[in-house]
Amino acid sequence: MESYPPSLVRLIKHLSKLPGIGEKTAARLALYILRSSDEDTKALSESIREIKNKIRFCSKCFGLSETNPCRICLNKNRDHTIVCVVEQPSDLAVLDKSRAFNGVYHVLHGALSPMNGIGPDDLKIKELIERVEQDDIKEVVLATNTNVEGEATASYLAQILKAYPVLVTRIATGIPMGCDLKYLDEVTLRRAMERRESATAE
Amino acid sequence: MESYPPSLVRLIKHLSKLPGIGEKTAARLALYILRSSDEDTKALSESIREIKNKIRFCSKCFGLSETNPCRICLNKNRDHTIVCVVEQPSDLAVLDKSRAFNGVYHVLHGALSPMNGIGPDDLKIKELIERVEQDDIKEVVLATNTNVEGEATASYLAQILKAYPVLVTRIATGIPMGCDLKYLDEVTLRRAMERRESATAE
């Protein structure tokens, strides 16, 4: 890297801190940025600063937002009596993009993971309970991931929420659409078989 | 992407312009940047601006540099009578990192490619000839790539340089080190066989 000018080496160093970007990819990106127009470079540089200055967590759902409450929590066309609990803002984004859900969200910012020292107090669980206590919530949909941590978190929340007059549901597990059975793991297959539904029902 | 705040969507858009970065990777990078420390984000943003402001081409070798001439062209410990011709600044960087060469460089900024409308006037060929005419150069090593364009460029330069009292060489082609013969293409194998060397020579 000594053959590159110091400022370029610095950019390569910063870029290679990003996830999935090694030193070679970082060098390729840095050389591309160097060849880009001044306008594009300025836009990229400014928009990196901008997200840090503008984006906060919504104080209600803890999703990412430039306003507080966020656009979703403020949207009157959404059903505020049904709350979907997700682990990360990125989960909220993909679910919302799918348009499968028109309620509001609650972002936990992680999942229970005793191995990594993440307990209930490290997640936005207290805040979820407060919403259930104070707002007029009829249903909580647990949409944490279906890996070990996500399942444990869902079980834990289901247990706690039993004490409240609210319907607690879990997103369905089964075989993803467009999938070839032979590539699926045994646990998914077993679950899908157990949860089989009538195919002749109207 | 509508579920992300506008400034985050803007950053994702800018990042996905980079080579090899699709929308999903861009979103992952943007969320990572959002979670990084203010310090790291500032450093990344500033170093993107910095390379555009600081880095110029060396007026002698056309490598990337913050000074003019560049550090390599100014280095008195290098052999200025031997010039290695490469296509891109990144080629200069990898060659120099290998420490295989202690002369100076000349970056063409491309290779001849009639298909893409790139002719001799689009490359720094005139400038190379000027160096050969004016400086005390004894050898020109052609280290363009060994693909079609690079080979054509090397042939073209070899032809032109015939008119000057300078030794013109081409980096050796053959089998890369650590390579399994069965994965190599026929052209490389044939070349390596034609250029075989005595293995018993001292």
Side-chain angles (χ1 to χ4, degrees):
Chain A
M1 285 299 141
E2 302 81 40
S3 340
Y4 285 130
S7 54
L8 193 60
V9 173
R10 269 197 296 280
L11 178 58
I12 292 171
K13 204 189 74 192
H14 292 310
L15 286 173
S16 55
K17 284 184 189 168
L18 298 175
I21 309 279
E23 203 181 86
K24 284 201 175 180
T25 309
R28 196 159 56 98
L29 295 180
L31 288 167
Y32 180 90
I33 291 171
L34 188 59
R35 280 196 308 269
S36 310
S37 69
D38 278 348
E39 207 176 297
D40 280 357
T41 321
K42 201 178 158 200
L44 174 61
S45 164
E46 280 176 2
S47 93
I48 289 171
R49 298 299 299 277
E50 197 185 20
I51 58 161
K52 291 297 276 189
N53 296 333
K54 283 197 179 169
I55 298 178
R56 299 283 170 269
F57 293 135
C58 167
S59 61
K60 207 166 174 65
C61 73
F62 298 96
L64 302 173
S65 178
E66 291 178 11
T67 56
N68 188 12
C70 70
R71 290 188 296 181
I72 292 175
C73 289
L74 282 177
N75 189 338
K76 287 187 178 154
N77 293 322
R78 280 175 171 266
D79 186 350
H80 289 252
T81 65
I82 170 165
V83 176
C84 175
V85 179
V86 293
E87 291 181 22
Q88 296 294 351
S90 47
D91 301 326
L92 185 161
V94 289
L95 265 182
D96 213 57
K97 203 180 169 191
S98 77
R99 299 192 191 183
F101 182 69
N102 196 38
V104 290
Y105 293 91
H106 189 87
V107 183
L108 295 174
H109 287 276
L112 294 176
S113 175
M115 292 276 282
N116 299 310
I118 298 172
D121 294 342
D122 301 309
L123 308 177
K124 303 291 179 192
I125 291 180
K126 189 164 56 69
E127 292 81 355
L128 173 65
I129 304 299
E130 275 168 20
R131 285 179 78 179
V132 171
E133 281 170 344
Q134 290 164 14
D135 299 355
D136 179 29
I137 291 170
K138 294 199 172 65
E139 182 178 349
V140 174
V141 185
L142 302 172
T144 52
N145 292 327
T146 55
N147 55 20
V148 177
E149 287 86 3
E151 287 284 292
T153 311
S155 303
Y156 177 84
L157 289 176
Q159 190 63 35
I160 287 191
L161 290 168
K162 265 188 189 167
Y164 300 88
V166 66
L167 177 67
V168 181
T169 55
R170 177 91 173 105
I171 43 160
T173 48
I175 295 165
M177 294 304 292
C179 185
D180 210 328
L181 286 197
K182 65 175 170 288
Y183 299 123
L184 267 178
D185 63 294
E186 289 175 24
V187 181
T188 304
L189 286 172
R190 212 175 305 134
R191 283 228 183 179
M193 193 54 80
E194 286 163 11
R195 285 162 177 69
R196 64 187 180 276
E197 296 160 349
S198 165
T200 54
E202 279 164 90
Chain B
M1 285 300 141
E2 301 82 40
S3 339
Y4 285 131
S7 54
L8 192 60
V9 173
R10 269 197 295 279
L11 177 58
I12 293 171
K13 204 188 75 193
H14 292 310
L15 287 173
S16 55
K17 283 184 190 168
L18 298 175
I21 309 278
E23 201 180 88
K24 285 200 175 180
T25 308
R28 196 158 56 96
L29 296 179
L31 287 168
Y32 180 89
I33 291 170
L34 188 59
R35 280 196 307 269
S36 309
S37 70
D38 277 347
E39 207 176 296
D40 279 357
T41 321
K42 201 178 159 199
L44 174 61
S45 164
E46 278 176 4
S47 90
I48 289 171
R49 297 298 300 276
E50 197 185 21
I51 58 161
K52 292 296 277 190
N53 295 334
K54 283 197 179 167
I55 299 178
R56 298 283 170 269
F57 293 135
C58 167
S59 63
K60 207 166 174 66
C61 74
F62 299 94
L64 302 174
S65 178
E66 290 177 13
T67 56
N68 189 11
C70 70
R71 292 188 296 181
I72 292 174
C73 289
L74 283 176
N75 189 338
K76 286 186 180 156
N77 293 322
R78 281 176 170 266
D79 185 350
H80 289 253
T81 66
I82 169 166
V83 176
C84 177
V85 178
V86 294
E87 292 181 22
Q88 297 293 352
S90 48
D91 300 328
L92 185 161
V94 289
L95 265 182
D96 213 57
K97 202 180 169 190
S98 77
R99 301 192 188 183
F101 181 70
N102 196 37
V104 290
Y105 293 91
H106 189 88
V107 183
L108 295 174
H109 288 276
L112 294 176
S113 176
M115 292 277 283
N116 299 309
I118 298 172
D121 294 342
D122 301 309
L123 308 177
K124 304 291 179 192
I125 291 180
K126 189 164 55 69
E127 292 81 354
L128 172 66
I129 304 300
E130 276 169 19
R131 287 178 77 178
V132 171
E133 281 171 346
Q134 292 164 13
D135 300 354
D136 179 29
I137 291 169
K138 294 195 172 68
E139 182 178 349
V140 173
V141 185
L142 301 173
T144 52
N145 292 326
T146 54
N147 56 19
V148 177
E149 288 85 4
E151 287 285 291
T153 310
S155 303
Y156 178 85
L157 290 176
Q159 191 63 34
I160 286 189
L161 291 167
K162 265 188 189 167
Y164 299 89
V166 67
L167 177 68
V168 180
T169 55
R170 177 91 173 104
I171 44 161
T173 49
I175 295 165
M177 294 305 291
C179 184
D180 209 329
L181 286 197
K182 65 175 169 288
Y183 299 124
L184 268 179
D185 62 294
E186 289 175 23
V187 181
T188 303
L189 286 172
R190 213 176 303 136
R191 284 229 182 179
M193 194 54 83
E194 286 164 10
R195 285 162 176 69
R196 64 186 180 276
E197 296 160 349
S198 166
T200 55
E202 280 166 272

